[in-house]
Amino acid sequence: MNVVSTKRRWKASSYKFSELASDERLWIIDALGLASALEVPQKVLWQLTFDKRDWNRYLIPKRRKGLRELWVPGHLRKSVLYGILRRILDLLPPSENAMAYFKSLSILKNAKKHEGNKYLLKLDLTNFFPSITKKNIKKEMQKIGIGEEAAYLIAQIATDPHGRLSQGSPASPALSNLVMREFDEEVSKMLAGMFNESVVYTRYSDDLAFSTKDEEAKRWLFNEGEEEIGRLVTAHGFKLNTRKTAKRSPGGKLWVTGFNIFRPNNSSPVHVGAPRRIRDKLKAMVHNVSCVGVGEHNIHTVAIAQKLARRDPGRVMELMDVAARKHSAALLGFAQMYANGDDRCTPYLVSLKKMLSRLDSGN
């Protein structure tokens, strides 16, 4: 049965994204249990397992050079993956070291973990998502109590035609945290055994950050520590991107996910700070919104709205209004995050709130 005929019999919009209790997850042992948990027909799960033609391949330019391969699931598969995310994965808190892809976590909280430390080692994992295979996913699913058949189905549905985790899937971030849990625990245990709690380790997706104030810990991190961590990375099926390895001391830039974690010349208590480029970006946002309004400011969102309304030209203005409101929320969220970490960003947040409030009221 092809995807189209199945979608006619079962609509993804019929989902009830309520969460399952931990004891309910234990009953997901086979295809029937998984289908019941997700409220999806079994035949849909088996179809998505063996028929991967609904994956769409895109090539996206990287920031510096080269192209990034991105596999995006079709509508039906994406809906099932959202069900797996809401019903199962959202109930699994990541390790204490993971700072991404879970509610209440952010780049600011990641930076604050390293606040005030003088020495920083940053490592990057290359091809992070594609390095996670269906075998890894099945193994970790079984560890949390999912049955072998159900774990097999989840692993098959969540991976692209090459059997790898794709960045374009809604469940991939949470699955990556699940797979990396054991690695995070091993690194934390190793560091705690050697330096007690003097070394801070966090992982924001594929970015690993280690910081300390201790001189002895710094010497270890900058020398044999990098090699030891590299061996653990390799043992778990990943590879370090050595071009992005960075060792920083107070004389250099101590940036963690966009925030400065140590400012020795600041008379106030040491706290994370937003870089100048972010403050300039916030200033430009305030200026652009004040000059042309939020809708025109986000030309990409407007273009998307116009594209969606091609079949119904009468809805162009309605969709542009919706797009503008979503963009307003995104602007405020962006400004709020940096204002929480650096008081110098607060004036821009206040200005944005006032202008967006006036625009929303039509004044």
Side-chain angles (χ1 to χ4, degrees):
M1 182 179 291
N2 59 32
V3 174
V4 176
S5 59
T6 305
K7 284 168 69 176
R8 288 173 183 167
R9 295 169 183 265
W10 174 80
K11 292 184 178 180
S13 58
S14 65
Y15 260 124
K16 298 175 182 177
F17 285 137
S18 56
E19 296 177 340
L20 295 176
S22 58
D23 57 341
E24 290 181 280
R25 285 205 310 272
L26 298 177
W27 292 100
I28 307 177
I29 57 176
D30 53 17
L32 177 61
L34 184 61
S36 300
L38 300 179
E39 298 181 357
V40 178
Q42 281 192 65
K43 58 187 175 184
V44 171
L45 299 180
W46 287 111
Q47 172 199 323
L48 294 176
T49 296
F50 295 112
D51 186 356
K52 304 234 176 185
R53 289 175 296 174
D54 63 322
W55 283 95
N56 303 301
R57 180 174 177 263
Y58 298 93
L59 294 176
I60 300 174
K62 293 184 178 180
R63 182 180 298 180
R64 289 187 174 86
K65 61 179 181 178
L67 295 173
R68 186 187 308 278
E69 185 182 48
L70 193 67
W71 287 90
V72 179
H75 174 71
L76 182 61
R77 186 182 300 272
K78 186 180 292 186
S79 298
V80 173
L81 287 169
Y82 267 119
I84 293 170
L85 176 65
R86 297 287 180 259
R87 290 297 190 89
I88 302 172
L89 298 174
D90 276 354
L91 299 180
L92 304 170
S95 68
E96 294 181 358
N97 311 99
M99 292 288 120
Y101 308 140
F102 197 73
K103 51 192 173 184
S104 79
L105 298 180
S106 68
I107 59 174
L108 175 59
K109 289 198 173 184
N110 183 42
K112 279 187 172 292
K113 289 281 187 178
H114 302 271
E115 192 172 42
N117 285 346
K118 299 189 295 182
Y119 306 107
L120 175 68
L121 170 66
K122 293 197 293 184
L123 303 174
D124 182 83
L125 304 180
T126 187
N127 294 324
F128 178 57
F129 283 99
S131 297
I132 298 173
T133 65
K134 54 188 177 185
K135 182 179 178 181
N136 301 134
I137 296 170
K138 181 184 175 184
K139 175 184 173 184
E140 296 303 322
M141 280 292 168
Q142 289 183 269
K143 282 184 181 179
I144 64 171
I146 304 293
E148 183 177 2
E149 185 177 71
Y152 168 78
L153 287 170
I154 292 172
Q156 288 285 354
I157 293 169
T159 51
D160 66 22
H162 301 291
R164 306 171 304 187
L165 201 59
S166 170
Q167 283 181 272
S169 164
S172 290
L175 285 169
S176 71
N177 273 343
L178 181 64
V179 171
M180 290 295 289
R181 188 199 297 257
E182 186 178 341
F183 171 81
D184 291 339
E185 290 173 352
E186 287 184 18
V187 173
S188 296
K189 186 177 179 181
M190 178 181 69
L191 294 174
M194 297 180 68
F195 303 105
N196 199 3
E197 296 182 356
S198 63
V199 176
V200 177
Y201 160 58
T202 63
R203 179 182 57 80
Y204 192 91
S205 185
D206 58 350
D207 294 324
L208 316 182
F210 305 83
S211 68
T212 184
K213 297 176 183 176
D214 185 72
E215 293 286 340
E216 182 183 352
K218 169 248 181 178
R219 285 193 291 271
W220 182 84
L221 279 175
F222 285 10
N223 295 287
E224 58 265 32
E226 182 184 348
E227 296 178 4
E228 288 289 336
I229 296 165
R231 278 193 281 271
L232 278 177
V233 168
T234 304
H236 283 267
F238 297 92
K239 186 178 179 181
L240 286 178
N241 185 350
T242 54
R243 291 181 302 171
K244 292 187 177 180
T245 298
K247 302 172 183 178
R248 297 286 185 262
S249 297
K253 295 180 179 179
L254 289 135
W255 303 112
V256 174
T257 50
F259 286 92
N260 187 0
I261 63 170
F262 183 72
R263 293 189 286 167
N265 297 325
N266 196 332
S267 57
S268 61
V270 174
H271 60 280
V272 298
R276 179 63 180 267
R277 61 181 177 82
I278 293 296
R279 300 199 303 273
D280 287 344
K281 185 173 183 177
L282 288 170
K283 184 177 179 180
M285 282 166 48
V286 171
H287 174 75
N288 290 338
V289 171
S290 65
C291 292
V292 299
V294 67
E296 291 76 6
H297 169 58
N298 187 25
I299 58 175
H300 297 294
T301 304
V302 173
I304 292 171
Q306 291 173 333
K307 182 178 179 180
L308 291 173
R310 281 177 183 172
R311 294 184 181 179
D312 187 0
R315 296 192 64 208
V316 173
M317 295 308 298
E318 176 191 344
L319 290 171
M320 285 182 66
D321 182 62
V322 171
R325 290 177 185 277
K326 288 185 177 180
H327 187 55
S328 297
L331 290 177
L332 287 174
F334 181 82
Q336 183 71 65
M337 178 178 61
Y338 281 100
N340 289 341
D342 193 332
D343 293 339
R344 293 172 295 179
C345 297
T346 302
Y348 304 122
L349 173 64
V350 174
S351 297
L352 271 176
K353 281 184 175 179
K354 287 181 179 178
M355 284 186 291
L356 293 174
S357 177
R358 287 200 300 269
L359 289 168
D360 192 48
S361 62
N363 297 328

